[in-house]
Amino acid sequence: MNLPILSRRELLSQAGFGCGAIALGSLLNPETGNANSVVFDPSNPMRSRPSHFPGVRSVIWVVMNGGSSHIDTWDYKPELQKRDGQKLDGADAYTGFFKTSGKLMASPFRFKQHGQSGTWASEIFPHLSKHVDEMAFVHSCYSRSNNHSPALFEMNTGMNRMGFPCVGSWVTYGLGSENENLPAFVVMTDAQGRGLPKNKAQNWGSGFLPGVFQGTRVKEKGAPVENLLRLPHMTKERQRALLNAANKLNREHQKKFDSQADLDARIESLELAFRMQISAPDVMSVASESQQTQAMYGMEHPKAKHFGKQCLMARKLVESGVRFIQIYSGGIDNGNSWDGHHNIKENHGRFALEIDQGVAALITDLKRRGLLESTLIVCGGEFGRTSDSQGDGRGRDHNPNAFTWWFAGGGVKGGTHFGKTDEFGYKAIENRKHIHDLHATILHLCGMEHEDLTYRFNGRDFRLTDVEGKVIKEILI
Amino acid sequence: MLITILFGSMVCFLQHAEAAESEEEKSARNHWSYQPLIKADVPTEGQGWARNGIDRFITRRHKEAGIMPANEATPNVLARRIFFDVLGLPPSPEEVSKLVNGFDESEYKQIVDQLLASPHFGEQWARYWLDVARFAESAGFEQDFDRDDAWRYRDFVTRTFNEDIPYDKFVRLQIAGDLLQPDKADSIIATGFIVAGVENLIQSRKEFVRDRYDKIDDMVSATATGLLGMTVACARCHDHKFDPILQRDYYRFAAAFAKTVSTNRDIKNDKSNIKVFCASEVPDGRIRMVVVSEPHRKNLPSVLAQVNFLDRGNTESPGEVMRPGFPRILLNGKDDSKWTKDNPGRVALANWITDTDDGAGQLLARVMVNRIWYKYFGRGIVATTSDFGTRGDRPTHPQLLDWLAGELIRNEWSLKHIHKLILMSATYRQGYFKNKSSLTANQKDPENLLLWHREPKRLGAESIRDNLLSVSGRLDRRLYGQGPGTLDFNSPRRTLYLRAKRARLVPLLQLFDASDTLQGIGNRQSTTTATQGLAILNDPFVDECIQEFVKRIAGGKPKNNQLIIEEGFLHAVGRRPTGLEKEICLEILKPGTGESRHDFCQMLFCLNEFIYVE
């Protein structure tokens, strides 16, 4: 069902500001002949925009930063377990970044079936495995880069080069924000001091989309968002008084320019900033949550506390209407993320412990609050890992030819398994799905046609999915 | 497999055989921007209002539409406008008090001349060029390695604009300075343009060839879009969908950069040795894989430094080796050999791109005058400043655009000549609409496409920061040089000199729509957001400026509040306060405390007038 989209004229007449004369020239993409074109007004860039058809309100993406191993988590391979140490026929030693042995390495973890779907899950996810009937797995994912930096760009933007907008930017560009007191696109990174993911803030950049659509990183210490808290020497009352005076003067000035909507928007933006200081810190703190809730998110476990807190915050942000949230698990160095080059058992065991309880609690909590229907949870990283060991060790190298992502929440058919890898999980062989397809599916679940969400830059109407992408209908309700 | 690949590239080759011209190509060939400059006489209309050729072209369209231009802006408005437009800085209170009483035509001309001669002119316009050049001082990607010497290119651009080096020369040096004048430091530094883009310095074996083609693509894009407004890069995987640019054109263009890599060199400058970051040709004709993090790694693979035709852009099936050449649409029927014969690729490109007879020179001039126009008016004659193709906007004033481009070429490519024409025009000097007839104009042309008045424009991110520093008296006006260390945002130097780190862009600048430095940007957005408001309210840098501003206008001898208000307005918005404004401000200052003065100053920074220039 296609909902009617505001025409430009309607938008202008509804734009408020008492004047209805937003400079037409500043509205982008009006003439693409595409009924789903985004009408973007720079003086109110975050205005909530209708989706093309009904979809979720928010997205939470848990990033398995560094590239988690599918065959040690959700893609159980009995043959691999049986043939540990044997030769992997057709192995390409340069599949990953370093060099692999060509010898199969069984998963060090035990697998068991769970739920009505009988989903095989690794023992490292004791909490998440209780939710398998709510999760839809795509086992046949592939990407085009075996190197973190380009692969992270590909995961985020569809392109393994720099300069393109990431999914969160496209979604907020397409839908705007539901809560002007909060950033629409929030990013959380490792709270244990292990650094930002590789590429750092470039991962959540808006590329050629206007800068306002880039992700806002919420910091662990001090003001969660840049400049959110008043400086120590300033009081609320004084700030209010000086803003009142500024408003009066700005309104006087405005009389001369009564058809300049951008000037009016600036006055509004100062007021909004003032209000944000009051409302945002509350949403970004979990202190007011009950001890029971905190415990459910694993906040009493010293190793899982930091991630649980971020998951809990994600729920609060979703409740408040934040559009897109990305939580990166792990930091920058290989050993400090899911990048288990040397010892999968130690590495994945450690990181699974950090996220398992928090992510599981997020599903439970959203569900009991009736928010899971309007929220999409995505979990996946930039690539998978090789079925053969790296060198002589017990680790695995990068594998762009096979990995698993899972989805849960609004519009997702829980308990589904889609696509297949070969008997060792070395390559996706059935219903192969590129990142573009995963992105198309995310946009679809957000209520947008990925082919219609475009932005013209240097002569071309760009899309998140470039010239590709097919929605994975099989995992949808 | 091999046979398929060979066959595939053969088919490709046959499809794109040089001789045939498709119907689309024929019709797109008629697209305005590929035509020679229109040789139009300056219209005679506009008696009594027009001050130069610009106005006569503008008037003609006004007449056609039946609208009248607005009156000239008041002296203090005009003074503030030209200072910000030309220098990116506000006039000092002394300058304001000199100008506020008005000036006659010869005085105005003097002011314009003085501003164009100020070294801050080069800084302001370099800032815009650096957007086009996707300039930054780090490589991007995984580790975002620093480019410690890249700043020299920034200085080169600033100096070029200050010394009014002919634009065609500027372009030639940026493309091939190292080859054209191998002994001249500045010419080598100029090639910082070619290599300013991102570069992956931690590569994997599987991907280093693809990385190489991405790097070449970046050079093609920067050159074609930045200099010619041509979206050549759209033809990397297939013929251009809308413009007459073949996939073969892309690879011929790309071949000019086949041997070009970025490099750090020690070169002689006068008597001393300096380090530079620049372009150079690989000496042994091979491109090597790089893993900067592990330089000791041995046996890294390499490939011949050449550009192959890639079907669908796929590096795994390389087709024939391409020779440098240029889009057929811009050859004036000549053979590429006019430029390529006996010349390395980049020299050929530099020759062709500046050739006003048979090459791209006329388009080059059009694109640049339009960029300058865009910066002064907030909208280009062609609104899509980096896309003059069939998907871009058409010029609102084609004859004016071509006349200006002709003026640039006729005046030995002097950019200052174009600046001066614009600044001296009545069109530029208009105020916001005031006369009755403009109400009609507003109905007929609400977007102001015909330029019948002047709308306030928000300052760019860098100018907002520079304005804060300048008004508070903190601004360090030193010119040139390496600038403050990485991320020293609190430095009082002009924003131009702050290091541009791709993975750590300065938040305050990003808030106000600064470029992300990843691709060349011709038009910046100007968005309004609450987070901008938060910065003015709570940012420590802004607060430091407030505190200095307090000292500046209320420090020293005790002053009465009336005087503080007068001075505050003169500094912050370049005019005296009205009676009503004084009343409102007196209310804030009434307690007579340091805090109240702080709040008064912060309130001035919250004024729209502080960041919008009329």
Side-chain angles (χ1 to χ4, degrees):
Chain A
M1 181 188 76
N2 281 315
L3 293 175
I5 302 290
L6 285 183
S7 74
R8 223 145 63 109
R9 185 174 303 279
E10 283 168 325
L11 185 115
L12 288 176
S13 63
Q14 290 180 18
F17 304 142
C19 55
I22 295 173
L24 286 167
S26 60
L27 293 175
L28 298 181
N29 247 356
E31 323 287 1
T32 51
N34 167 0
N36 288 333
S37 277
V38 171
V39 178
F40 163 74
D41 166 11
S43 67
N44 190 0
M46 282 302 169
R47 177 196 310 283
S48 176
R49 289 177 273 271
S51 56
H52 307 159
F53 45 84
V56 296
R57 196 171 71 139
S58 305
V59 180
I60 301 172
W61 180 353
V62 177
V63 180
M64 308 297 269
N65 172 34
S68 59
S69 167
H70 51 299
I71 43 187
D72 297 294
T73 52
W74 303 109
D75 195 8
Y76 176 53
K77 291 291 158 187
E79 271 311 297
L80 176 66
Q81 299 307 87
K82 280 186 213 151
R83 290 165 62 175
D84 183 46
Q86 294 184 21
K87 187 166 170 263
L88 170 58
D89 288 332
D92 173 356
Y94 290 112
T95 294
F97 188 77
F98 297 99
K99 201 172 175 183
T100 55
S101 65
K103 278 187 250 166
L104 291 167
M105 184 179 99
S107 173
F109 306 118
R110 274 174 303 188
F111 281 75
K112 253 177 52 185
Q113 280 183 296
H114 297 267
Q116 297 208 320
S117 56
T119 296
W120 287 94
S122 161
E123 62 182 331
I124 57 178
F125 291 131
H127 292 89
L128 268 173
S129 52
K130 291 179 196 148
H131 293 278
V132 289
D133 289 343
E134 267 147 337
M135 294 148 71
F137 299 84
V138 181
H139 292 298
S140 50
C141 305
Y142 72 97
S143 66
R144 291 172 182 145
S145 179
N146 62 4
N147 186 2
H148 289 292
S149 176
L152 276 166
F153 286 125
E154 188 173 342
M155 177 193 85
N156 277 313
T157 72
M159 311 292 274
N160 41 43
R161 293 185 281 155
M162 295 186 70
F164 298 88
C166 66
V167 184
S169 300
W170 278 110
V171 170
T172 42
Y173 161 69
L175 300 177
S177 170
E178 298 275 319
N179 184 340
E180 290 181 310
N181 292 337
L182 292 168
F185 171 18
V186 167
V187 179
M188 294 183 239
T189 60
D190 185 63
Q192 297 282 68
R194 294 173 293 195
L196 300 180
K198 284 171 177 165
N199 301 336
K200 304 192 181 92
Q202 299 167 123
N203 284 314
W204 44 93
S206 55
F208 46 72
L209 288 178
V212 17
F213 298 115
Q214 66 196 351
T216 300
R217 186 165 80 89
V218 172
K219 289 179 290 184
E220 302 77 44
K221 292 194 181 119
V225 173
E226 204 86 36
N227 302 320
L228 185 60
L229 306 179
R230 265 184 288 278
L231 292 168
H233 63 71
M234 178 52 78
T235 65
K236 187 176 165 187
E237 290 69 31
R238 277 171 55 208
Q239 206 170 58
R240 183 64 264 170
L242 80 87
L243 267 180
N244 285 346
N247 277 346
K248 280 186 209 157
L249 295 181
N250 278 333
R251 292 285 172 209
E252 273 306 300
H253 175 253
Q254 175 96 20
K255 283 182 187 162
K256 185 177 161 195
F257 303 102
D258 58 354
S259 62
Q260 293 301 117
D262 47 348
L263 295 179
D264 205 80
R266 169 94 198 306
I267 299 174
E268 286 303 318
S269 73
L270 287 166
E271 280 305 303
L272 207 50
F274 184 77
R275 292 204 298 273
M276 255 175 112
Q277 301 175 108
I278 299 160
S279 54
D282 275 352
V283 178
M284 292 182 175
S285 154
V286 298
S288 60
E289 294 290 317
S290 72
Q291 196 222 342
Q292 201 187 359
T293 304
Q294 297 198 10
M296 178 172 79
Y297 278 86
M299 287 179 63
E300 287 175 349
H301 194 298
K303 297 267 168 65
K305 187 178 167 180
H306 65 287
F307 203 84
K309 186 177 164 194
Q310 291 179 319
C311 290
L312 179 48
M313 199 197 285
R315 187 218 83 208
K316 294 194 66 176
L317 293 172
V318 162
E319 263 177 327
S320 307
V322 168
R323 186 69 74 192
F324 201 97
I325 299 156
Q326 209 179 23
I327 317 177
Y328 283 83
S329 163
I332 189 162
D333 298 323
N334 302 351
N336 279 329
S337 68
W338 290 85
D339 196 18
H341 283 287
H342 304 298
N343 186 339
I344 278 289
K345 189 172 184 188
E346 181 281 325
N347 174 282
H348 275 38
R350 181 157 50 100
F351 279 93
L353 177 65
E354 291 188 14
I355 72 159
D356 178 45
Q357 202 175 345
V359 181
L362 188 55
I363 298 175
T364 308
D365 204 9
L366 286 172
K367 193 170 184 185
R368 73 177 181 192
R369 286 164 193 267
L371 289 168
L372 194 56
E373 282 298 288
S374 58
T375 308
L376 169 67
I377 302 177
V378 182
C379 181
E382 67 262 39
F383 35 55
R385 306 205 77 86
T386 54
S387 313
D388 53 342
S389 59
Q390 182 178 323
D392 302 326
R394 297 305 291 167
R396 304 188 193 275
D397 206 340
H398 312 161
N399 184 0
N401 302 323
F403 53 98
T404 297
W405 277 26
W406 61 260
F407 295 74
V412 176
K413 199 197 284 174
T416 334
H417 292 264
F418 182 73
K420 267 200 182 117
T421 53
D422 59 33
E423 56 186 339
F424 307 116
Y426 193 50
K427 283 182 181 164
I429 51 167
E430 211 178 286
N431 293 318
R432 287 161 50 82
K433 292 293 164 194
H434 180 253
I435 298 276
H436 287 315
D437 304 312
L438 300 167
H439 287 169
T441 309
I442 294 175
L443 290 186
H444 179 88
L445 286 164
C446 289
M448 288 184 283
E449 296 281 2
H450 70 100
E451 288 177 350
D452 287 351
L453 183 64
T454 60
Y455 184 85
R456 188 169 294 176
F457 174 69
N458 285 349
R460 202 179 138 192
D461 290 331
F462 281 91
R463 311 187 333 221
L464 169 60
T465 50
D466 196 20
V467 295
E468 302 173 50
K470 283 211 172 74
V471 176
I472 310 174
K473 297 239 164 76
E474 291 81 354
I475 65 161
L476 308 179
I477 291 170
Chain B
M1 175 74 179
L2 186 67
I3 291 167
T4 337
I5 292 170
L6 282 174
F7 183 70
S9 55
M10 275 292 283
V11 169
C12 219
F13 177 65
L14 291 174
Q15 273 173 355
H16 302 304
E18 304 282 18
E21 186 180 56
S22 66
E23 280 308 306
E24 291 82 10
E25 215 186 341
K26 260 181 218 156
S27 83
R29 187 174 278 281
N30 295 325
H31 181 64
W32 71 271
S33 69
Y34 306 123
Q35 312 306 316
L37 297 179
I38 308 163
K39 288 199 179 66
D41 292 329
V42 176
T44 50
E45 287 103 322
Q47 294 301 333
W49 180 70
R51 294 182 185 273
N52 63 25
I54 291 176
D55 302 327
R56 294 184 184 276
F57 285 103
I58 294 288
T59 306
R60 176 181 284 176
R61 300 292 307 281
H62 286 171
K63 287 225 163 117
E64 284 165 12
I67 55 180
M68 296 281 287
N71 295 334
E72 187 166 310
T74 58
N76 63 323
V77 164
L78 197 51
R80 193 165 163 80
R81 180 188 302 169
I82 56 176
F83 268 78
F84 274 114
D85 277 350
V86 180
L87 309 184
L89 293 170
S92 68
E94 296 72 41
E95 284 158 333
V96 171
S97 22
K98 243 191 318 190
L99 299 172
V100 76
N101 299 321
F103 30 75
D104 62 24
E105 188 61 14
S106 75
E107 284 166 327
Y108 180 75
K109 182 170 170 295
Q110 247 179 13
I111 301 164
V112 168
D113 286 336
Q114 273 168 15
L115 293 184
L116 288 176
S118 158
H120 298 308
F121 163 81
E123 292 177 327
Q124 158 77 345
W125 289 82
R127 185 50 263 165
Y128 176 55
W129 188 258
L130 296 179
D131 271 20
V132 174
R134 80 242 179 273
F135 171 80
E137 292 163 87
S138 65
F141 284 99
E142 182 172 322
Q143 299 292 335
D144 195 36
F145 293 106
D146 283 336
R147 289 176 182 163
D148 286 328
D149 307 303
W151 61 273
R152 291 186 192 277
Y153 169 73
R154 180 245 293 145
D155 275 7
F156 162 78
V157 175
T158 310
R159 254 193 322 272
T160 297
F161 289 152
N162 275 335
E163 292 168 11
D164 203 19
I165 306 287
Y167 180 64
D168 62 338
K169 184 180 173 194
F170 176 55
V171 167
R172 287 172 59 80
L173 293 180
Q174 288 182 105
I175 295 173
D178 58 320
L179 303 169
L180 293 166
Q181 298 180 319
D183 300 323
K184 227 173 148 232
D186 255 5
S187 305
I188 296 169
I189 291 165
T191 62
F193 173 81
I194 290 296
V195 294
V198 297
E199 186 163 10
N200 190 4
L201 298 175
I202 299 181
Q203 302 185 323
S204 74
R205 279 168 195 268
K206 277 255 158 68
E207 291 171 16
F208 90 98
V209 175
R210 188 178 71 197
D211 282 346
R212 172 64 190 157
Y213 277 92
D214 286 349
K215 184 66 192 162
I216 291 176
D217 186 66
D218 168 74
M219 302 191 237
V220 172
S221 291
T223 314
T225 342
L227 304 176
L228 297 179
M230 278 181 97
T231 54
V232 173
C234 290
R236 184 177 178 182
C237 304
H238 47 71
D239 291 347
H240 200 295
K241 275 193 173 162
F242 307 103
D243 285 320
I245 303 166
L246 300 173
Q247 197 184 358
R248 287 186 68 78
D249 285 337
Y250 174 87
Y251 285 98
R252 280 145 42 91
F253 201 107
F257 302 108
K259 297 185 170 60
T260 306
V261 291
S262 69
T263 184
N264 294 288
R265 279 175 66 185
D266 285 299
I267 57 168
K268 268 210 160 23
N269 184 27
D270 295 331
K271 279 167 199 130
S272 60
N273 281 319
I274 57 170
K275 288 183 191 309
V276 299
F277 175 72
C278 59
S280 71
E281 305 288 274
V282 282
D284 61 351
R286 294 195 77 82
I287 303 289
R288 291 194 155 63
M289 175 179 152
V290 275
V291 189
V292 168
S293 56
E294 294 175 73
H296 50 277
R297 264 224 248 171
K298 294 222 172 82
N299 305 323
L300 292 175
S302 67
V303 288
L304 280 172
Q306 64 191 23
V307 166
N308 294 73
F309 185 89
L310 301 180
D311 184 23
R312 295 183 166 273
N314 184 356
T315 50
E316 276 161 31
S317 52
E320 62 172 312
V321 178
M322 301 301 289
R323 274 186 321 205
F326 310 107
R328 287 204 303 193
I329 196 85
L330 284 172
L331 300 180
N332 195 24
K334 297 283 187 302
D335 189 86
D336 288 315
S337 61
K338 177 180 177 192
W339 304 280
T340 56
K341 196 163 179 286
D342 302 328
N343 282 325
R346 280 191 286 128
V347 173
L349 175 58
N351 289 344
W352 167 76
I353 213 167
T354 51
D355 181 341
T356 51
D357 295 328
D358 299 318
Q362 299 190 15
L363 181 55
L364 181 76
R366 264 194 194 118
V367 170
M368 189 55 182
V369 295
N370 187 60
R371 288 198 187 285
I372 296 174
W373 188 275
Y374 157 76
K375 279 293 281 176
Y376 280 112
F377 292 95
R379 180 189 170 103
I381 296 174
V382 178
T384 50
T385 54
S386 290
D387 181 14
F388 278 42
T390 55
R391 298 277 271 173
D393 284 14
R394 299 189 70 86
T396 50
H397 298 78
Q399 296 194 337
L400 170 59
L401 177 68
D402 283 9
W403 179 73
L404 280 170
E407 277 292 296
L408 180 64
I409 296 169
R410 287 188 290 275
N411 287 276
E412 290 165 5
W413 295 88
S414 160
L415 295 176
K416 281 194 181 175
H417 173 70
I418 302 299
H419 284 273
K420 191 162 175 186
L421 273 175
I422 292 174
L423 290 165
M424 294 307 295
S425 72
T427 307
Y428 175 77
R429 290 191 241 176
Q430 291 176 95
Y432 194 75
F433 72 84
K434 279 188 189 135
N435 50 19
K436 277 188 190 148
S437 65
S438 61
L439 291 176
T440 336
N442 200 20
Q443 278 160 2
K444 287 186 175 162
D445 178 26
E447 292 176 77
N448 195 27
L449 296 179
L450 298 179
L451 295 165
W452 49 270
H453 82 139
R454 174 83 178 191
E455 289 168 357
K457 235 181 6 168
R458 202 200 72 203
L459 295 176
E462 295 83 358
S463 271
I464 290 175
R465 183 179 174 278
D466 290 346
N467 194 23
L468 285 164
L469 286 171
S470 178
V471 166
S472 61
R474 290 177 69 200
L475 183 68
D476 174 352
R477 285 180 179 250
R478 260 180 307 157
L479 305 163
Y480 304 115
Q482 186 161 16
T486 311
L487 311 174
D488 185 7
F489 182 73
N490 285 320
S491 159
R493 290 208 62 187
R494 269 197 93 164
T495 310
L496 175 71
Y497 299 105
L498 294 183
R499 275 238 191 155
K501 281 277 287 170
R502 287 189 157 110
R504 299 189 66 175
L505 299 166
V506 177
L508 185 72
L509 302 179
Q510 287 298 297
L511 281 181
F512 288 99
D513 309 297
S515 154
D516 69 355
T517 75
L518 299 179
Q519 302 201 41
I521 301 280
N523 290 23
R524 277 194 196 178
Q525 288 288 338
S526 182
T527 59
T528 308
T529 63
T531 37
Q532 294 168 356
L534 281 178
I536 300 294
L537 291 179
N538 299 332
D539 190 275
F541 168 81
V542 175
D543 198 64
E544 214 175 308
C545 292
I546 294 167
Q547 296 187 20
E548 290 301 312
F549 189 26
V550 174
K551 284 187 207 154
R552 190 176 197 196
I553 61 171
K557 296 183 286 208
K559 280 184 200 154
N560 73 33
N561 289 343
Q562 294 276 0
L563 211 59
I564 291 175
I565 295 169
E566 287 271 342
E567 284 215 18
F569 268 75
L570 268 182
H571 277 92
V573 292
R575 64 175 177 85
R576 300 206 170 88
T578 65
L580 178 65
E581 286 170 335
K582 273 192 202 165
E583 257 174 60
I584 295 167
C585 297
L586 278 172
E587 197 63 30
I588 295 193
L589 282 165
K590 205 161 60 186
T593 58
E595 283 178 351
S596 65
R597 288 189 285 271
H598 173 282
D599 296 354
F600 166 69
C601 287
Q602 184 159 28
M603 185 217 62
L604 290 173
F605 288 172
C606 289
L607 295 185
N608 278 349
E609 251 181 301
F610 187 74
I611 58 169
Y612 283 87
V613 171
E614 193 186 330

